[in-house]
Amino acid sequence: MDAKNTFDTPVTYRLIRAEYAVGLAVAVGFFFAHITEVRWVPAVALFLYIDLIGYIPGAIAYHRSQDKRISKVYYVLYNTMHSLATQTIVALAWIWLFGAEWALLVLPIHLFGDRALFGNLLKPFALDFEPVANPEFERFTSELAAPAADRPRLVEQFEARSAT
């Protein structure tokens, strides 16, 4: 992936997940190192609120929808609540209001866990809310994985399909 090709191949996707797994391991390590100092009510509330606002409403709407098309509002809610930037602001606001505490580690644990363990990154509007394989993307990645000598022919085929 680069600035001109904003997609991940299976290998780069696994590498991204591995990086989040490192962050998850560090956050979990600090959390358990200070487990006796964790206030559990704020920890559970902070862990759950991300999905209560950002995932569950969209999942319900998606599963109730006959054609699986739902409002983009659900995508925005998911992406906002599952954003490291948003959760950094939440953590800073919490520290300002209540002081720093180890319970705040559940914020990166939740986000890094979603990304490392489940592979859930931010949701693009063009895809289903729940993970469903996109046949066009599957074909594209299989063609991209072809030997380099075959790629010019595959590019011509792809361009010909796109023009129709």
Side-chain angles (χ1 to χ4, degrees), residues 59-124:
I60 291 170
Y62 179 83
H63 290 287
R64 286 185 176 171
S65 171
Q66 295 291 336
D67 63 1
K68 303 305 180 196
R69 291 183 185 177
I70 61 172
S71 170
K72 291 181 181 179
V73 168
Y74 296 113
Y75 290 80
V76 172
L77 283 171
Y78 181 92
N79 291 341
T80 300
M81 295 307 297
H82 288 82
S83 164
L84 289 167
T86 299
Q87 298 313 321
T88 298
I89 292 167
V90 168
L92 291 172
W94 187 280
I95 291 167
W96 183 63
L97 292 169
F98 308 111
E101 61 178 296
W102 295 109
L104 290 169
L105 282 171
V106 300
L107 298 173
I109 288 170
H110 183 124
L111 299 182
F112 294 165
D114 276 357
R115 292 170 183 168
L117 302 175
F118 305 115
N120 294 328
L121 303 175
L122 300 179
K123 295 187 181 294

